[in-house]
Amino acid sequence: MSATDAVRFWDDVHAARPAATDPRPNARLTETVADLPPGDVLDLGCGAGGDALWLARRGWRVTAVDVSSVAVERLTSLAVSHGLDDRITARRHDLRESFPDGTFELVCAHYLQTPLDLDRAAVLRKAAYALRPGGLLLVVDHGSTAPWSWNQDPDVRYPAPREVAAGIALDPATWTVERADSPRRVATGPDGRTAEVTDHVLIVRRTA
């Protein structure tokens, strides 16, 4: 899939969904970050923008990126309408070709799973290197297929968190895996339907 096709695919996904006025943050973000002191955070694949808004409201300085221009433009407008445009910078990045500059206390990658030809391990490795000492990389992947998912392939395979960590291949002298598990929860989709889903959660801390 070309870069143009990638943008078109995700623009179509977001354009097909009504623009949310106050999108919800991801559950694994709120449970992980609620007690952390705010700093600089990079949100990879910001989507509807719920995570970016939630973080900004708690004092984080957010750099939010997505391959979709629709997603970026919607988040930019939401940041203004909620009075958070001084804390949220939304930018379009195709992570196959570019990665945001800067270093961060927190990098989040929620459901960065795509039909595109994306070297996810390379992207997550760059994310780990973008952490400041003591910073956290939070990777949350789908571990099951929700009824509202764009991908309904019955043969889709979801790598386990330890497998994802092994693929990133970080030096344990510098990065430590603090969590790698597969909790379940009841999720609500964009259309209001609910279903029990599995999340694959990986948390890596940069220790040096």
Side-chain angles (χ1 to χ4, degrees):
M1 185 180 288
S2 70
T4 300
D5 290 337
V7 173
R8 183 179 299 115
F9 175 86
W10 284 111
D11 277 349
D12 288 347
V13 167
H14 288 287
R17 299 171 178 171
T21 56
D22 196 7
R24 301 184 306 271
N26 283 297
R28 304 305 174 195
L29 174 74
T30 60
E31 72 181 22
T32 302
V33 177
D35 295 330
L36 295 181
D40 293 302
V41 54
L42 174 60
D43 182 8
L44 296 175
C46 61
D51 289 352
L53 293 170
W54 184 88
L55 287 160
R57 286 178 177 133
R58 281 151 183 79
W60 291 83
R61 295 175 295 275
V62 183
T63 299
V65 303
D66 203 284
V67 70
S68 167
S69 298
V70 173
V72 169
E73 290 167 5
R74 285 181 175 180
L75 177 54
T76 298
S77 297
L78 281 172
V80 172
S81 65
H82 288 275
L84 297 169
D85 48 309
D86 60 333
R87 292 197 169 273
I88 297 176
T89 301
R91 296 173 179 158
R92 199 192 77 77
H93 276 273
D94 183 339
L95 294 172
R96 298 177 300 174
E97 300 174 352
S98 62
F99 193 88
D101 294 329
T103 58
F104 307 90
E105 276 79 27
L106 175 67
V107 180
C108 302
H110 277 81
Y111 311 112
L112 192 66
Q113 291 156 296
T114 174
L116 314 185
D117 183 19
L118 176 68
D119 186 345
R120 257 189 23 126
V123 171
L124 295 177
R125 193 175 302 116
K126 289 178 182 177
Y129 274 90
L131 291 171
R132 295 170 184 158
L136 292 181
L137 170 62
L138 171 62
V139 182
V140 182
D141 291 338
H142 295 296
S144 63
T145 301
W148 51 83
S149 172
W150 55 266
N151 185 0
Q152 293 294 323
D153 180 356
D155 298 321
V156 66
R157 180 177 176 276
Y158 299 108
R162 289 284 179 187
E163 187 178 347
V164 174
I168 304 174
L170 296 171
D171 184 349
T174 304
W175 292 271
T176 300
V177 174
E178 293 198 342
R179 179 178 177 182
D181 61 2
S182 302
R184 298 184 66 81
R185 63 185 172 89
V186 175
T188 303
D191 58 1
R193 284 183 292 172
T194 61
E196 187 176 58
V197 299
T198 299
D199 290 323
H200 286 172
V201 181
L202 175 66
I203 299 177
V204 178
R205 184 180 297 276
R206 183 165 191 165
T207 56

